[in-house]
Amino acid sequence: MVERLPNSIAELVGNAATPEELRACKIGGCCGKDTPLLPADAVSARLSAIPQWKLSDDGRSISREFVAKHWKSAMSFLNRVSEIAESEGHHPDLHLTGWRNVRVELSTHAIGGLSLPDLVLASKIDTIEVEYSPKWLKSQSAQQA
């Protein structure tokens, strides 16, 4: 089912709770001061759909970070994020340090916290292929073991 949520999502698919539903939603530049904050329980319920993202300690933003294989890979990722953000009308904070350390932060600045468009954009960003640093990948595997 597709519906519209005023001041939030141009097209809502299902409950926007699975990766597929989140990616199918359209933000359509609907974010602003009237965008509703997503309640903490609704954020928590959707975090499993975007497992690469971490909730901030204060619950007001989500972030994803990694080490790219090289500058070109990092920039390719950031450029693809830019394309998605422009097409959706919702923009993350992007950070590149040490020429390949990438961090993406999402929150709806106008409301000082998380809204459904943040999770939709995170899910869409997760579709971007990344050439990760082999050393970083190995360290991630070791941390999960």
Side-chain angles (χ1 to χ4, degrees):
M1 179 183 162
V2 176
E3 67 178 275
R4 180 169 172 67
L5 289 179
N7 302 316
S8 179
I9 296 286
E11 289 182 22
L12 178 68
V13 177
N15 292 321
T18 67
E20 298 78 17
E21 289 175 346
L22 284 167
R23 283 191 299 272
C25 292
K26 303 283 185 226
I27 300 170
C30 293
C31 297
K33 61 181 173 49
D34 296 326
T35 302
L37 275 170
L38 202 55
D41 61 331
V43 171
S44 295
R46 289 173 172 86
L47 284 176
S48 64
I50 51 171
Q52 297 181 76
W53 295 81
K54 304 293 179 233
L55 184 64
S56 65
D57 290 341
D58 64 7
R60 298 166 113 184
S61 66
I62 54 174
S63 64
R64 176 181 168 193
E65 53 189 293
F66 62 87
V67 179
K69 186 172 183 179
H70 41 61
W71 169 267
K72 184 178 178 181
S73 177
M75 290 306 299
S76 176
F77 173 81
L78 293 174
N79 286 328
R80 285 287 299 128
V81 170
S82 177
E83 292 170 10
I84 292 169
E86 279 297 301
S87 71
E88 292 293 332
H90 192 58
H91 303 86
D93 290 338
L94 302 175
H95 307 271
L96 176 62
T97 57
W99 60 270
R100 63 186 186 139
N101 300 307
V102 176
R103 180 176 170 88
V104 180
E105 293 180 62
L106 281 163
S107 72
T108 302
H109 299 290
I111 59 171
L114 287 167
S115 65
L116 188 54
D118 298 310
L119 304 182
V120 169
L121 189 58
S123 185
K124 291 180 183 213
I125 289 171
D126 284 349
T127 66
I128 301 170
E129 287 189 39
V130 178
E131 193 174 1
Y132 296 105
S133 158
K135 184 177 178 180
W136 181 81
L137 279 175
K138 187 175 181 179
S139 74
Q140 295 302 298
S141 295
Q143 286 178 8
Q144 293 175 358

